[in-house]
Amino acid sequence: MATTLLTEIQQAQARLRSLSRAERGALIVRILHELKTHRKEVLGNVPADRCVWIDTLIASVSSTISEIAGMQDAEFNRVLNEFEKLMATLQGISHARNVPKTFH
């Protein structure tokens, strides 16, 4: 997962009032794409019953993109805050899984 998405979220939060509905929607689509990529590439070999949380999130976000994009600034900012935390956590987990373990 690219660190650039976290930067994009932070930049969007900084200029929240000037973001158009289309820009908000595009950012949510970008977040959704990263969630799908994480599900496929990192969790692809994990049993489906252990991935219900991310599958549910992907389905929920997919079906509500326009509603999320149309939220008031404060609500949209809260959503971005939560996505930022989630993406940072997923990135941290992914990174930890890829770091070779050394034994002394």
Side-chain angles (χ1 to χ4, degrees), residues 29-100:
V29 168
R30 171 95 164 86
I31 291 168
L32 184 60
H33 173 75
E34 289 294 331
L35 288 171
K36 288 178 179 179
T37 299
H38 184 82
R39 172 63 173 100
K40 181 180 175 185
E41 293 179 3
V42 178
L43 301 174
N45 294 325
V46 175
D49 64 329
R50 294 184 59 206
C51 296
V52 172
W53 65 273
I54 196 165
D55 292 337
T56 302
L57 178 61
I58 289 168
S60 177
V61 172
S62 294
S63 66
T64 59
I65 293 170
S66 63
E67 289 91 343
I68 295 170
M71 289 178 168
Q72 297 292 322
D73 289 349
E75 290 176 297
F76 189 70
N77 191 47
R78 281 192 292 276
V79 169
L80 290 182
N81 280 334
E82 294 305 317
F83 276 129
E84 181 181 15
K85 288 187 254 182
L86 175 61
M87 294 304 185
T89 300
L90 293 177
Q91 184 177 2
I93 291 169
S94 297
H95 179 70
R97 294 178 112 200
N98 294 329
V99 173

Side-chain angles (χ1 to χ4, degrees), residues 4-20 23-24 27-28 31 72-88:
T4 56
L5 179 58
L6 293 175
T7 303
E8 287 177 44
I9 292 171
Q10 292 164 353
Q11 289 172 346
Q13 288 172 307
R15 57 183 199 94
L16 193 61
R17 293 187 188 277
S18 67
L19 286 180
S20 69
E23 289 170 317
R24 290 175 181 215
L27 180 57
I28 297 302
I31 291 168
Q72 297 292 322
D73 289 349
E75 290 176 297
F76 189 70
N77 191 47
R78 281 192 292 276
V79 169
L80 290 182
N81 280 334
E82 294 305 317
F83 276 129
E84 181 181 15
K85 288 187 254 182
L86 175 61
M87 294 304 185

